[in-house]
Amino acid sequence: MTTASLSLDGKNYELPVVTGTEGEVGVDIGKLRAQSAAITLDPGFTSTGACESKICFIDGEKGILRYRGYPIEQLAEKSDFVEVAWLLLYGELPNAEELAKFRGQLTYHSMIHEDMKKFFEGFPNNAHPMAILSAMVASLSTYYPESETEDHHDENIARLIAKVRTLATYAYKKSIGQPLTYPQNKLPYAENFLHMMFAVPCEEYTVNPVMAKALNMLLILHADHEQNCSTSTVRMVGSSRANIFASISAGICALWGPLHGGANQAVLEMLEMIQNDGGDYKKWVKKAKDKDDGFRLMGFGHRVYKNFDPRATILRTMCEEVLAELHIDDPLLQIAENLEKVALEDEYFVSRKLYPNVDFYSGILYRAMGIPTNMFTVMFSIGRLPGWLAHWKELRDEDSRIYRP
Ligand code: CMC
C-alpha cells in the first residue's frame, strides 16, 4: 500500500502512506488542507501521529515496549539507568569508553549554582515539589544563556540529567526543613540520588543496594513512552525553538496531572483512602463503575495498552521482591492486589480493556524506599527526562516545522 484515497464532496484525494518498522500504517494528511481546504479532526489525538520517531516502539495489543529496539524487560534486568539514558539519546547502548565519559559528565554537572539555593528559600514549605522542579528547571536557562547554540545541546542534556536529580532532592529537603545535601562524586547516579535524599549531617548514611537496584529499575521503566502527553508537550514547545530548559520545564508541568504522571501519587492516596475507609475495596470498584460518580480507579487504564502494561508486570514482581528483602509488610500492597484481582474479573473493566498501568505498583515501591507521596511524580520526572531529551534532540536535529494543530 503506497497511497490512501479520500473522497470528499465528489472529489478524490490520493494521500501518501508511511509505513513503520513493524508495518504500522500512517496516512500522511500533511497536504490535505492545501489541496482541499479540509482538515482532520481528532480531539485527544487518538488516531494522529505528529512525527516520525526512531526512539520508542509500543504495541499496545501485545504489551510490547522497546527503547531503540531493545525490549523493556531486557533493559530492566541487565542495564542501569545511565546506560538506558544514553541508549535513548544516541540510539545504541554505550561502549565502555562512552559510558565512562557520560558517567563522568553526570558527576561533573551534578552541583547547581550556589545562588540557586536562595530560590528555594522563597517557596512556602508546603509547596508541591513538582511546582518547584518545573520552576527550577526553567530557571537553569538563566545560568546557561548560550544554551541555544547547537554545540551546547549535548552538554545541556548531561547538565539536565545531572541537575534535575539534585534539584529534586533539594525540593524535598526544603519541604522537611532539613539542610540541603550536596552530591558525592564517588557515588553512581541512583546511589547519589538516595544519598542526597536521605543523608543528614549528624549521622553516617550508607546506600542500601536493594534500594539502589529498585530505583535504577523504576527509572528505566519510566524512561520513555513515545508520544505521550508530556513528551508531546516537550516536542510542541521545542518546535518553537524554545530552549531546552524551557521545553523540559513544560514537560514536567504536563506530567504533573493526575491522568498522566500524577497518577502515581493519586494511586497511593486512593489506596490509603480505601484503607482508612475500612479496606472494602469492592465498594471502590463499584464507585469506579458508576458513571454518576466522578471516582476513577487510579492506576488503571491506558490509551495504548489494551491487554497489559509490561511495565506494571515487571513492577508487580519487583514490588513483592523488594518488600520482602526490606522486611516490609505493607497492607496497601494487599489492598492493591485485591483491587487488581476484582477489577480484572469485572465485566466493566474487561470490556473496556482497563488493566493496571505503570503507576499502580510504583507508589508502593517508592513508599517502601521512604520517598514521600508528593515526590512520586518528581521520581517519574527524573525517569522520563532522558526520553524527553531524546525527543527534543530528535526534533531539533531534523529541523522540524513549528507544531500548530
Ligand atoms: N476507572 C474507571 N473507568 C475508567 C478508567 C478508570 N481508571 N479509565 C478509563 N475508564 C473508562 C472511561 O470512563 C471510559 O468509559 P466509557 O467508554 O463507558 O465512557 C472508558 O474507560 C475509556 O476511557 P477514556 O478516558 O476515554 O480513555 P483514555 O484513553 O482517554 O484515557 C487514561 C486513558 C489513562 C487517562 C484513563 O484510563 C484514566 O483516567 N486512568 C486513570 C488515571 C491513570 O492511571 N493514569 C496513568 C496512565 S499511565 C502513566 C502515563 O503514561 O501517564
Side-chain angles (χ1 to χ4, degrees), residues 285-286 289 341-351:
V285 171
K286 205 167 154 200
K289 297 191 305 184
K341 192 164 181 299
V342 171
L344 291 184
E345 286 165 3
D346 191 292
E347 196 276 331
Y348 174 95
F349 290 88
V350 174
S351 64

Side-chain angles (χ1 to χ4, degrees), residues 101-341:
K101 191 170 165 218
F102 192 43
R103 287 195 203 285
Q105 282 178 302
L106 298 185
T107 302
Y108 179 75
H109 289 297
S110 62
M111 290 183 71
I112 59 165
H113 195 290
E114 277 296 288
D115 287 354
M116 274 191 99
K117 279 165 60 183
K118 297 199 192 90
F119 297 7
F120 286 89
E121 287 162 24
F123 293 111
N125 277 340
N126 61 354
H128 198 287
M130 284 297 277
I132 300 183
L133 189 66
S134 66
M136 287 296 173
V137 168
S139 307
L140 283 174
S141 60
T142 63
Y143 290 85
Y144 306 103
E146 78 281 16
S147 59
E148 251 326 270
T149 52
E150 214 165 279
D151 45 335
H152 284 99
H153 286 175
D154 287 329
E155 191 177 17
N156 283 328
I157 283 171
R159 261 189 194 125
L160 269 162
I161 296 177
K163 289 184 198 305
V164 158
R165 170 190 53 171
T166 311
L167 291 169
T169 64
Y170 280 17
Y172 169 62
K173 288 289 193 186
K174 157 76 188 169
S175 74
I176 55 168
Q178 280 186 6
L180 310 182
T181 304
Y182 286 103
Q184 282 201 353
N185 285 356
K186 66 176 183 201
L187 292 175
Y189 192 88
E191 284 81 349
N192 218 343
F193 171 82
L194 293 168
H195 161 77
M196 286 190 276
M197 273 294 280
F198 299 119
V200 282
C202 45
E203 62 184 27
E204 278 285 304
Y205 175 77
T206 314
V207 177
N208 182 334
V210 176
M211 297 222 313
K213 187 174 167 228
L215 179 57
N216 259 304
M217 209 187 267
L218 275 159
L219 296 179
I220 290 170
L221 294 180
H222 287 88
D224 197 43
H225 216 230
E226 42 132 277
Q227 313 306 319
N228 59 86
C229 175
S230 56
T231 303
S232 299
T233 301
V234 170
R235 278 186 174 264
M236 171 77 83
V237 176
S239 78
S240 76
R241 306 295 184 270
N243 70 63
I244 195 165
F245 303 104
S247 306
I248 297 300
S249 173
I252 293 170
C253 290
L255 186 77
W256 192 359
L259 298 191
H260 190 14
N264 55 13
Q265 174 173 342
V267 168
L268 208 95
E269 287 166 352
M270 173 188 80
L271 294 175
E272 281 171 344
M273 184 176 71
I274 296 174
Q275 185 187 34
N276 295 337
D277 189 52
D280 182 4
Y281 50 90
K282 289 184 184 158
K283 169 179 149 188
W284 294 90
V285 171
K286 205 167 154 200
K287 273 168 78 65
K289 297 191 305 184
D290 182 353
K291 292 287 171 199
D292 297 326
D293 191 320
F295 177 75
R296 272 191 172 198
L297 217 48
M298 298 314 287
F300 264 78
H302 200 276
R303 174 64 64 81
V304 183
Y305 294 120
K306 297 300 171 203
N307 272 314
F308 65 96
D309 178 340
R311 304 165 302 171
T313 310
I314 299 172
L315 274 175
R316 190 186 200 281
T317 312
M318 189 166 78
C319 216
E320 285 168 1
E321 279 171 21
V322 170
L323 262 60
E325 284 191 59
L326 296 175
H327 307 292
I328 294 173
D329 183 16
D330 190 341
L332 294 192
L333 179 61
Q334 194 55 55
I335 294 178
E337 286 178 344
N338 287 338
L339 262 185
E340 181 183 354
K341 192 164 181 299

